[in-house]
Amino acid sequence: FKHNGNYTYSDNHTPLTNIFNQQMTRPNFITLSLSRTASGDDATSGVFTIGAYDTSSLALADAPHIPLQPRTTTRWQIALDGMSVNGEAYLFEENEWAPPPAQIDSGTTFAFTAAAAAAFIYGRVPGARKCDGGGFEFWVVPCGSMVDLSFVFG
């Protein structure tokens, strides 16, 4: 354990928490940029920064910062103010709580959302079908299908 008077660092914290706690004078944010070739087959490049902006993304420093919702959360969760699929807006107020939280997670392929929102998204994907997984529902989406999915945050 290391101790600086305010925090104890240990294996009980995530690596980023330990990094931020050991570098108290640096801003505690990360940037993540991933890309693929036009065909979608191969990754072309990626950038991960801690407490700094990549030189190609310096304009992000002036972008609005969206607070966590609720402010006491321990997750990267922000307010989701809008969603549309192929230009058709989804009305959160008519389907579930508003605004719903959005968990920002770069490490999953799952869509953790209300059933009505999932049906709205996947129901507009050509060839997608809803399946019963023995107590839970999931969608099977053809790999070649494409939609224009947009989110409005904060």
Side-chain angles (χ1 to χ4, degrees):
F1 294 102
K2 293 181 186 175
H3 191 273
N4 72 352
N6 295 321
Y7 295 97
T8 300
Y9 311 113
S10 73
D11 293 333
N12 295 329
H13 297 290
T14 66
L16 280 176
T17 298
N18 284 332
I19 290 169
F20 292 145
N21 288 343
Q22 290 180 25
Q23 301 289 325
M24 300 298 282
T25 59
R26 293 195 61 135
N28 62 344
F29 70 89
I30 65 168
T31 66
L32 178 64
S33 175
L34 304 174
S35 61
R36 291 200 170 273
T37 59
S39 67
D41 294 333
D42 298 312
T44 58
S45 65
V47 176
F48 175 73
T49 66
I50 300 173
Y53 296 99
D54 177 60
T55 55
S56 65
S57 303
L58 290 175
L60 291 174
D62 296 326
H65 292 87
I66 302 170
L68 297 177
Q69 294 291 336
R71 291 189 182 274
T72 57
T73 187
T74 58
R75 300 174 184 262
W76 291 2
Q77 183 171 290
I78 59 177
L80 176 60
D81 290 335
M83 177 179 76
S84 67
V85 179
N86 296 328
E88 184 181 350
Y90 180 74
L91 303 175
F92 289 110
E93 303 84 31
E94 295 178 3
N95 294 291
E96 66 269 334
W97 71 98
Q103 290 189 8
I104 308 301
D105 185 347
S106 62
T108 186
T109 58
F110 295 114
F112 296 104
T113 188
F120 182 82
I121 295 169
Y122 296 116
R124 284 153 181 77
V125 176
R129 63 184 183 3
K130 188 163 87 172
C131 302
D132 180 8
F136 63 94
E137 296 177 344
F138 63 95
W139 287 80
V140 176
V141 179
C143 292
S145 295
M146 296 181 70
V147 296
D148 180 8
L149 176 61
S150 299
F151 298 101
V152 178
F153 298 109

Coordinates of all heavy atoms in Angstrom, one line a residue, residues 32 66 68 75-80 101-108 153:
L32 N -10.3 8.0 -25.7 CA -10.2 6.7 -26.4 C -10.7 6.9 -27.8 O -11.8 7.4 -28.0 CB -11.0 5.7 -25.7 CG -11.1 4.3 -26.3 CD1 -9.7 3.6 -26.3 CD2 -12.1 3.4 -25.5
I66 N -19.9 16.8 -19.7 CA -21.2 16.3 -19.3 C -21.0 15.6 -17.9 O -20.2 14.7 -17.8 CB -21.8 15.3 -20.3 CG1 -21.9 16.0 -21.7 CG2 -23.1 14.8 -19.8 CD1 -22.3 15.1 -22.8
L68 N -21.6 13.3 -14.6 CA -22.2 12.0 -14.3 C -23.6 12.1 -13.7 O -23.9 13.1 -13.0 CB -21.3 11.2 -13.3 CG -19.9 10.9 -13.8 CD1 -19.1 10.2 -12.6 CD2 -19.9 10.0 -15.0
R75 N -20.2 4.8 -11.7 CA -20.1 4.3 -13.1 C -19.9 5.5 -14.0 O -20.3 6.6 -13.7 CB -21.3 3.5 -13.5 CG -21.5 2.3 -12.6 CD -22.9 1.7 -12.9 NE -23.2 0.6 -12.0 CZ -22.9 -0.7 -12.3 NH1 -22.4 -1.0 -13.5 NH2 -23.2 -1.6 -11.5
W76 N -19.4 5.3 -15.2 CA -19.4 6.3 -16.2 C -20.8 6.3 -16.9 O -21.0 5.7 -17.9 CB -18.3 6.0 -17.3 CG -16.9 6.1 -16.7 CD1 -16.6 6.4 -15.5 CD2 -15.8 5.9 -17.5 NE1 -15.2 6.4 -15.4 CE2 -14.7 6.1 -16.6 CE3 -15.5 5.6 -18.8 CZ2 -13.4 6.0 -17.0 CZ3 -14.2 5.5 -19.2 CH2 -13.1 5.7 -18.3
Q77 N -21.7 7.1 -16.2 CA -23.1 7.1 -16.6 C -23.5 8.6 -16.7 O -23.3 9.4 -15.8 CB -23.9 6.5 -15.4 CG -25.3 6.3 -15.7 CD -25.9 5.5 -14.6 OE1 -25.7 4.3 -14.6 NE2 -26.7 6.0 -13.7
I78 N -24.1 8.9 -17.9 CA -24.5 10.3 -18.1 C -25.9 10.3 -18.6 O -26.5 9.2 -19.0 CB -23.6 11.0 -19.2 CG1 -23.5 10.2 -20.5 CG2 -22.2 11.1 -18.6 CD1 -22.7 10.9 -21.6
A79 N -26.6 11.4 -18.7 CA -27.9 11.5 -19.1 C -28.0 11.3 -20.6 O -27.2 11.9 -21.4 CB -28.5 12.9 -18.8
L80 N -29.0 10.5 -21.1 CA -29.2 10.3 -22.5 C -30.5 11.1 -22.8 O -31.6 10.8 -22.4 CB -29.4 8.9 -22.8 CG -29.8 8.5 -24.2 CD1 -28.7 8.9 -25.2 CD2 -30.1 7.0 -24.3
P101 N -30.4 7.0 -18.0 CA -29.0 7.0 -18.0 C -28.3 6.3 -19.1 O -28.9 5.3 -19.6 CB -28.6 6.4 -16.6 CG -29.8 5.4 -16.4 CD -31.0 6.1 -17.0
A102 N -27.2 6.7 -19.5 CA -26.4 6.0 -20.6 C -25.1 5.7 -19.9 O -24.4 6.5 -19.4 CB -26.2 6.9 -21.8
Q103 N -24.7 4.4 -19.9 CA -23.4 4.0 -19.4 C -22.4 4.0 -20.6 O -22.7 3.3 -21.5 CB -23.5 2.6 -18.7 CG -24.3 2.7 -17.4 CD -24.2 1.5 -16.6 OE1 -23.5 0.6 -16.9 NE2 -25.0 1.4 -15.5
I104 N -21.4 4.7 -20.4 CA -20.4 4.8 -21.4 C -19.4 3.7 -21.2 O -18.6 3.7 -20.2 CB -19.7 6.2 -21.4 CG1 -20.7 7.3 -21.5 CG2 -18.7 6.3 -22.5 CD1 -21.6 7.3 -22.7
D105 N -19.4 2.7 -22.1 CA -18.6 1.5 -21.9 C -18.0 1.1 -23.2 O -18.7 0.7 -24.1 CB -19.5 0.4 -21.3 CG -18.7 -0.9 -21.0 OD1 -17.5 -1.0 -21.4 OD2 -19.3 -1.7 -20.3
S106 N -16.7 1.2 -23.3 CA -16.0 0.8 -24.6 C -15.7 -0.7 -24.6 O -15.1 -1.2 -25.6 CB -14.7 1.6 -24.7 OG -13.9 1.3 -23.7
G107 N -16.1 -1.4 -23.6 CA -15.7 -2.8 -23.5 C -16.8 -3.9 -23.6 O -16.6 -5.0 -23.3
T108 N -17.9 -3.5 -24.2 CA -19.0 -4.5 -24.3 C -19.7 -4.3 -25.7 O -19.7 -3.2 -26.2 CB -20.0 -4.4 -23.2 OG1 -20.9 -5.5 -23.3 CG2 -20.8 -3.1 -23.2
F153 N -26.4 13.3 -25.8 CA -26.0 13.2 -24.4 C -26.1 14.6 -23.8 O -25.7 15.6 -24.3 CB -24.6 12.6 -24.3 CG -24.5 11.3 -24.9 CD1 -23.8 11.0 -26.0 CD2 -25.1 10.2 -24.2 CE1 -23.6 9.8 -26.6 CE2 -24.9 8.9 -24.8 CZ -24.2 8.7 -25.9

